[in-house]
Amino acid sequence: MKKTLLTGKLHQARITHAELNYEGSCAIDQDLLEQAGILEYEQIEIYNIENGARFSTYAIVGERGSKIISVNGAAARQACVGDRVIICTYAALDAEEIASHKPSLVYLDKDNNIVRTSKDVPIQVA
């Protein structure tokens, strides 16, 4: 049996562009893609912290070092420039893969600079 687990996350990324008339996708700075282990054309889930919207699209490479996070096409209706979002990828893993799996977590500041990276989500306390 396979289970779906988080593989990569860009936490609190800021939308820099919303291009309604561009082919649907989300352009992400190549440096950020690499740090989170997200591949070009990989399906991504985007969770908009500002309005609660949750939607799927695919990643395309944005200019390296640009800090771009551009929602394009229909996705541009789900997020505005300046919105904070969480961008995640998932994979179906079997029990053997799960035993050693750790996601690539990338935490960003308000300018999409990497603040820190991790392989573990902090334990939530009551």
Side-chain angles (χ1 to χ4, degrees):
M1 174 180 14
K2 293 192 178 264
K3 293 192 178 254
T4 303
L5 274 68
L6 176 70
T7 56
K9 177 170 83 166
L10 294 169
H11 190 73
Q12 297 222 15
R14 294 273 177 164
I15 300 297
T16 61
H17 298 76
E19 303 290 342
L20 183 61
N21 295 313
Y22 189 86
E23 184 174 341
S25 59
C26 181
I28 301 172
D29 179 321
Q30 189 170 2
D31 289 333
L32 300 178
L33 288 174
E34 289 171 1
Q35 281 293 309
I38 300 171
L39 302 175
E40 185 172 26
Y41 309 121
E42 184 172 4
Q43 180 177 333
I44 56 176
E45 300 291 325
I46 301 178
Y47 312 125
N48 189 325
I49 296 167
E50 309 302 336
N51 66 19
R54 299 168 73 91
F55 55 98
S56 300
T57 188
Y58 60 94
I60 61 172
V61 173
E63 180 182 3
R64 186 181 293 280
S66 67
K67 312 300 185 201
I68 189 172
I69 305 286
S70 180
V71 287
N72 301 321
R77 299 268 189 213
Q78 302 298 317
C80 298
V81 171
D83 282 359
R84 294 173 302 146
V85 297
I86 300 167
I87 301 171
C88 296
T89 56
Y90 300 89
L93 305 176
D94 61 33
E96 292 159 2
E97 294 169 310
I98 290 169
S100 62
H101 175 72
K102 293 287 186 178
S104 296
L105 311 173
V106 180
Y107 297 85
L108 304 174
D109 68 11
K110 65 180 181 63
D111 298 314
N112 291 336
N113 295 304
I114 297 172
V115 175
R116 69 183 174 91
T117 61
S118 179
K119 293 289 189 181
D120 296 298
V121 174
I123 295 173
Q124 185 172 347
V125 296

